[in-house]
Amino acid sequence: MMIPRMRALAGIFLLGWLVTMPAGKAWAGWDFLGDNDQVVVATMGRVELTLAELQRVLDHAPAQVKAQVVGDPEQLRQVIEEELLKKVLLSQAKEADWQRRDEVKYLMERAQNQVLMDHYVASQTEPAPGFPDEARIKNSYKKNLERFRVPAKVHIAQIYLAVKPGADKKNRQKVIQAAQKLLRQAQAQGADFASLAKSHSQHQPSAGEGGDMGWVAFPNLLPEIKRSLDGMKPGEIKGPVASSQGVHIIKLLGVQKATYHPYKEVRSTLVKLLKRQKTRENKRNYLKKMKKNDPVSVFHDRLDALK
């Protein structure tokens, strides 16, 4: 539905209040504008986008997507830009009588028929009301528990020294020696790791925070860092750890064990998953029954005329 942000769409105009008011308040407040078909919310050249057109676009999007777009002014702007661009391109195509081309006529008919079929089949294969029941949802949670696993996290701080790409053995050794010196200072009684990181770490985002990297999911760590943390206890400092990115002195600040998202938190996700699965199952059975009741007959002797 959305496209990457387009920075150079000349002629885009958007009413300021549309993207600056709090999303829920702004959206609800549109009712006072009256006839939505006459309310223009954006233009691109001579092409206009009305409030009613934008409302229809959002109403046909999944509820979660609609809520996300309405709640984010930047995403809402992107949707508006996309819809305007579509209207401009459609206008250009119609002015060029592109819809009169035989191949275009055929493709448009196929697309229209596909939409019609999809909607009809969906109406025949949607799960029964009340599906799934609570027992099925809970059973699905148990079976898919690993999908809701929250990996272990570690809270670490570091002092990082960079190694220039292509550096020879001598230069790499110099960096390691500098790291060893910093390690001894960091491990000394009464040492202030944060001050050392602020003064010496070359990882700018964390250096200003005293080397604090925050909580990091264990799978997201560099392999060398993962290995260095093995057996470490909170408060312990280890190094130098050479990685593909440079040399690190690591301080472990805390550990969170792996856990799972609770059932209540993922229940709605499970309901959607089970409904999609049931819909696919119903569709397969529906089409299978159709072919059984009216088997397909192919007259192979008549296919020679194909070019």
Side-chain angles (χ1 to χ4, degrees):
M1 176 182 170
M2 289 180 285
I3 58 175
R5 183 180 181 184
M6 297 172 286
R7 294 183 174 85
L9 285 175
I12 293 288
F13 170 74
L14 182 61
L15 296 177
W17 55 266
L18 182 62
V19 296
T20 55
M21 285 183 68
K25 184 177 180 180
W27 194 258
W30 288 4
D31 292 340
F32 79 90
L33 292 171
D35 187 354
N36 291 351
D37 286 315
Q38 303 301 319
V39 178
V40 176
V41 295
T43 64
M44 182 176 179
R46 292 177 295 173
V47 176
E48 299 177 340
L49 182 69
T50 67
L51 184 60
E53 290 172 323
L54 179 58
Q55 183 72 67
R56 281 193 291 270
V57 170
L58 293 171
D59 285 347
H60 283 82
Q64 185 176 359
V65 173
K66 176 180 176 180
Q68 183 177 345
V69 171
V70 173
D72 186 334
E74 182 58 30
Q75 288 194 28
L76 184 58
R77 176 184 287 274
Q78 290 177 23
V79 171
I80 290 171
E81 290 179 352
E82 180 184 359
E83 291 305 313
L84 274 169
L85 186 60
K86 286 179 180 178
K87 290 193 71 173
V88 171
L89 291 172
L90 182 61
S91 176
Q92 292 176 354
K94 287 182 175 180
E95 287 179 5
D97 280 336
W98 222 252
Q99 70 275 18
R100 297 181 183 275
R101 293 176 171 242
D102 289 338
E103 67 272 26
V104 175
K105 286 181 181 179
Y106 173 73
L107 291 173
M108 289 174 65
E109 183 181 356
R110 293 275 294 182
Q112 182 177 345
N113 289 340
Q114 188 65 53
V115 171
L116 182 62
M117 289 185 294
D118 288 345
H119 271 257
Y120 174 73
V121 172
S123 72
Q124 301 300 306
T125 59
E126 63 182 359
F131 179 90
D133 59 30
E134 198 65 27
R136 186 185 292 265
I137 303 171
K138 289 181 177 178
N139 185 53
S140 179
Y141 176 70
K142 294 177 182 178
K143 286 184 175 180
N144 295 280
L145 194 57
E146 283 304 309
R147 295 185 58 175
F148 306 113
R149 189 172 188 270
V150 180
K153 294 181 179 180
V154 290
H155 187 189
I156 58 175
Q158 72 164 351
I159 299 173
Y160 169 76
L161 301 181
V163 176
K164 293 182 179 180
D168 57 24
K169 184 177 180 180
K170 182 178 180 180
N171 285 321
R172 285 198 299 271
Q173 189 59 35
K174 284 183 178 180
V175 176
I176 292 174
Q177 288 173 352
Q180 289 172 334
K181 182 179 179 181
L182 284 169
L183 175 63
R184 289 191 293 270
Q185 295 177 35
Q187 291 177 329
Q189 187 174 2
D192 188 338
F193 190 94
S195 294
L196 287 170
K198 287 181 179 180
S199 301
H200 301 284
S201 181
Q202 295 171 353
H203 181 254
Q204 294 303 318
S206 64
E209 301 298 325
D212 195 336
M213 299 288 289
W215 288 96
V216 183
F218 196 76
N220 296 338
L221 293 168
L222 292 170
E224 298 87 353
I225 302 297
K226 288 181 187 178
R227 288 193 292 269
S228 72
L229 291 171
D230 187 29
M232 286 183 67
K233 297 179 180 179
E236 190 175 347
I237 300 172
K238 185 180 286 189
V241 179
S243 75
S244 58
Q245 298 184 7
V247 180
H248 314 255
I249 297 170
I250 303 297
K251 182 175 182 179
L252 181 61
L253 302 175
V255 177
Q256 287 182 358
K257 294 183 178 180
T259 184
Y260 298 91
H261 290 289
Y263 173 73
K264 290 182 179 180
E265 187 176 296
V266 300
R267 185 183 180 282
S268 60
T269 300
L270 285 166
V271 170
K272 292 175 184 177
L273 173 66
L274 289 168
K275 284 186 175 181
R276 284 198 299 267
Q277 291 175 343
K278 188 62 175 177
T279 298
R280 287 196 293 267
E281 178 187 341
N282 289 348
K283 183 176 180 180
R284 285 195 301 269
N285 293 335
Y286 182 79
L287 298 178
K288 184 178 180 180
K289 183 178 179 180
M290 280 184 61
K291 289 188 285 186
K292 182 179 180 180
N293 293 339
D294 292 297
V296 175
S297 299
V298 179
F299 305 104
H300 294 280
D301 57 328
R302 303 176 186 177
L303 297 177
D304 294 337
L306 285 173
K307 296 179 181 179

